[in-house]
Amino acid sequence: MPRALVVPRNGGSDVLEVRSVPEPVAGDGDGEVLVDVAAVGVNFIDVYQRQGVYPVPTPFVLCSEGAGTVVGTGERVAWPQTRGSATSRMAVPADQLVPVPGEVDLETAAAAMLQGMTAHYLVNSTYAVQPGDLCLVHAAAGGVGQLLVQMIKAKGGVVVATAGSPEKLAKATALGADHAVDYTRTDGPEELAAAVKEAVGGQGLHVAYDGVGRATFDASLASLRPRGTLVLFGGASGQVPPFDIQRLNAGGSLFLTRPSLGHYLLTREELLWRGESVLGAIADGTLRIEIGGRWPLDEAAAAYDALEGRATTGKLLLLP
Ligand code: NDP
């Protein structure tokens, strides 16, 4: 029987259990295929779902991202958002799969799906970065952060990266970030915003990509130029509390958006465009993926503790 990582009830990483689950069956007529799962991506959305911040009826099998081979055909595939991915064999709707090119191994493909397509929609579709744009990227050594830095640089943007240690800032700089600010060494949002703007000669920035949320939101807003855009795409430090819309006016007719990957993968064409762009860039060497750790299913709690405890860089994988 396959084994799976189960959330039996909402809570901390201590609730996680590995259980034997029934052999999956591909549903008749609804286009599902059976996949042997080679690697599973660890993401913050798993944390929100485990905690109950994003409600999912319990018990459920955790994780939504992975890569593997189709049973019977051996086709190599990856997927960004199919609930129940932390298992050794699963049924996946065929229209949620992206083909993996021969140059990309399955661990890297699993690592690239959710965070890669997220960085892709953020820089191409939510705010389309133009050459010369000044762009703030928080948590720039993290999974999404490392990919944002590289994709913005590839478009000719200027990156001000923030992170929580000199080692993490060095990673962002090695990936091309033009300026680096340790946001654990600034005192309050005004000081952080001043440090960000000072890095680019005292100007406000065109766009702030903020997946840290509560701890950085005010500084992100204060870092922008008139008509700048704040893209709040997550809350690694906690969710942003209710907000007075007049602050967008006071800040200079600012734009604020709170996007989600699912809304940028509305059609099969959009999924393939983003997925093939990301995997293609990895295949031709223009996009680098750091796999920051691999854990067996039985040690998944340690992976989540590391992610939630700011102890990681790059992408974390579970190996079923
Ligand atoms: P990361 O690898 O970036 O890990 C989170 C990082 O956030 C940490 O390493 C840490 O970096 C920073 N951080 C700052 N404060 C805290 C805190 N209090 N607790 C934990 N971390 C903190 O994770 P991901 O790349 O997986 O995700 C980044 C963000 O992107 C998350 O908010 C996630 O929800 C969001 N996301 C949103 C998507 C969307 O479509 N909207 C899709 C995918 C991800 P440091 O130590 O340098 O501060």
Side-chain angles (χ1 to χ4, degrees), residues 75 101 107 155 195 206 215 250 269 271 274 293 307 310-312 318:
E75 187 194 358
E107 285 192 7
K155 288 176 159 293
H206 294 82
E269 289 67 33
L271 174 80
R274 300 195 196 283
L307 180 69
R310 302 175 75 164
T312 64
L318 301 177

Side-chain angles (χ1 to χ4, degrees), residues 33-53:
V33 294
L34 279 184
V35 178
D36 280 328
V37 182
V40 180
V42 169
N43 287 289
F44 252 93
I45 191 163
D46 312 336
V47 176
Y48 307 142
Q49 291 179 347
R50 190 200 68 216
Q51 293 170 335
V53 175

Side-chain angles (χ1 to χ4, degrees), residues 110-132:
M113 284 287 99
L114 196 152
Q115 294 173 343
M117 289 198 223
T118 297
H120 185 275
Y121 85 73
L122 290 173
V123 305
N124 287 293
S125 306
T126 305
Y127 175 89
V129 172
Q130 303 300 313

